[in-house]
């Protein structure tokens, strides 16, 4: 079973920062997951929430700031004083960091609240600029975004994110189309996910920080899990 560091090594470092991804880049794991939003000057930035309130010393929507304005805020101190001065990364910063590794990069397009029109094309262009087309997985809870990626760059691996339990994950995902199904831990043990696995679906599960659940998901045959604490999960699965 593959392990992805969720928002970097976010259990030990401030999520979606260079520090969290540098730590992940040194681990024997398959990949990382990150979230992207669009700034007022149409730069791709790596942050989970629509606002900077929770993970910085500022407040307000990402979409209302330019990149230069966002760079002035501290994205580390909220987690620990040790990380004071961490800046918001761009997608390019993270792709550059992983240019010399073999990690897969799951880029989640956070278009489910604000559509960030055109973000799909910007991400496709950025990934191509770093020659990482074959290493990325583009995912979103907004399946319209996945459909746009599919139309513009059918060669890129895509995953549909689900918070709900669908009757037919496999059939629905094929229609978008997407290559993989990313489901929540609460959904992962449902009948419909087992059926999707039986039909040959690639299933990845978020967010798994409990060792026992990780072991059960491995037994179930899911392709991968996203975890905030990859070191803990890797060592437990090796036992
Ligand atoms: O991509 C998996 C997972 O990150 C989706 O949920 O809220 O952590 O972005 P969230
Ligand atoms: Ca995410």
């Amino acid at each position: 079973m593959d392990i992805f560091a969720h928002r970097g090594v976010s259990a030990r470092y401030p999520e979606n920062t260079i520090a969290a991804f540098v730590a992940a880049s040194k681990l024997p794991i398959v990949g990382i997951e990150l979230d992207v939003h669009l700034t007022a000057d149409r730069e791709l930035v790596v942050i989970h929430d629509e606002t900077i309130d929770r993970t910085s010393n500022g407040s307000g929507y990402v979409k209302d700031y330019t990149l230069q304005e966002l760079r002035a805020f501290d994205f580390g101190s909220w987690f620990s004083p040790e990380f004071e001065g961490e800046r918001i990364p761009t997608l390019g910063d993270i792709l550059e960091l992983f240019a010399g590794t073999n990690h897969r990069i799951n880029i989640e397009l956070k278009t489910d609240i604000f559509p960030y029109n055109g973000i799909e094309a910007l991400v496709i262009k950025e990934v191509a600029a770093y020659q990482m087309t074959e290493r990325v997985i583009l995912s979103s809870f907004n399946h319209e975004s996945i459909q746009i990626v599919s139309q513009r760059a059918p060669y890129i691996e895509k995953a549909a994110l689900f918070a709900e339990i669908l009757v037919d994950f496999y059939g629905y995902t094929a229609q978008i189309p997407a290559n993989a199904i990313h489901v929540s831990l609460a959904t992962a043990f449902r009948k419909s996910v087992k059926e999707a696995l039986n039909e040959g679906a690639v299933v990845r599960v978020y967010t798994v920080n409990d060792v026992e659940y990780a072991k059960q998901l491995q037994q179930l045959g899911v392709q991968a899990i996203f975890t905030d604490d990859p070191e803990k999960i890797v060592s437990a699965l090796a036992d």
Side-chain angles (χ1 to χ4, degrees):
M1 183 172 68
D2 297 341
I3 307 296
F4 282 71
H6 183 242
R7 311 180 195 173
V9 183
S10 57
R12 296 162 199 257
Y13 300 84
E15 66 181 56
N16 281 327
T17 62
I18 296 282
F21 292 115
V22 166
S25 73
K26 294 174 182 165
L27 294 178
I29 55 175
V30 161
I32 57 144
E33 188 263 4
L34 57 84
D35 307 286
V36 292
H37 291 257
L38 204 55
T39 65
D41 53 344
R42 298 188 67 73
E43 296 285 345
L44 297 161
V45 284
V46 178
I47 179 171
H48 180 271
D49 300 354
E50 281 68 27
T51 72
I52 64 171
D53 299 30
R54 181 178 61 86
T55 57
S56 83
N57 59 348
S59 67
Y61 289 106
V62 172
K63 70 178 179 60
D64 293 336
Y65 286 109
T66 64
L67 176 59
Q68 193 181 357
E69 288 167 344
L70 283 174
R71 292 276 206 203
F73 294 111
D74 174 352
F75 283 79
S77 294
W78 70 276
F79 188 83
S80 159
E82 190 189 337
F83 299 106
E84 183 185 347
E86 279 290 331
R87 300 295 160 203
I88 192 169
T90 61
L91 178 61
D93 292 336
I94 305 305
L95 295 181
E96 193 174 324
L97 174 63
F98 284 93
T101 78
N102 294 317
H103 294 84
R104 299 211 67 188
I105 317 289
N106 180 187
I107 302 169
E108 183 186 342
L109 306 171
K110 280 288 185 198
T111 53
D112 34 318
I113 307 286
F114 301 117
Y116 299 124
N117 291 329
I119 192 173
E120 299 86 359
L122 292 174
V123 170
I124 292 167
K125 193 174 161 199
E126 192 73 338
V127 165
Y130 284 89
Q131 298 181 310
M132 288 179 130
T133 300
E134 287 170 10
R135 281 168 58 189
V136 298
I137 303 161
L138 300 195
S139 64
S140 187
F141 286 105
N142 174 5
H143 301 169
E144 289 177 348
S145 271
I146 299 303
Q147 198 160 53
I148 291 168
V149 173
S150 177
Q151 287 159 358
R152 296 187 80 108
Y155 44 83
I156 288 184
E157 182 170 345
K158 297 158 293 291
L161 269 160
F162 296 94
E164 307 82 8
I165 301 163
L166 263 60
V167 172
D168 179 10
F169 279 108
Y170 190 74
Y172 173 81
T173 305
Q175 272 181 23
I176 300 174
N179 311 89
I181 298 166
H182 290 184
V183 297
S184 71
L185 178 58
T187 306
F189 298 102
R190 303 297 179 124
K191 179 167 79 82
S192 52
V193 171
K194 288 196 184 82
E195 285 170 0
L197 284 166
N198 288 339
E199 287 175 290
V202 172
V203 176
R204 302 187 183 95
V205 182
Y206 66 91
T207 302
V208 185
N209 296 326
D210 180 279
V211 166
E212 287 312 310
Y213 280 132
K215 288 179 179 170
Q216 288 172 30
L217 289 164
Q218 192 170 39
Q219 286 289 316
L220 192 64
V222 306
Q223 164 118 17
I225 59 171
F226 300 94
T227 179
D228 300 330
D229 198 347
E231 280 171 291
K232 179 179 82 176
I233 299 290
V234 166
S235 93
L237 293 182
D239 288 344

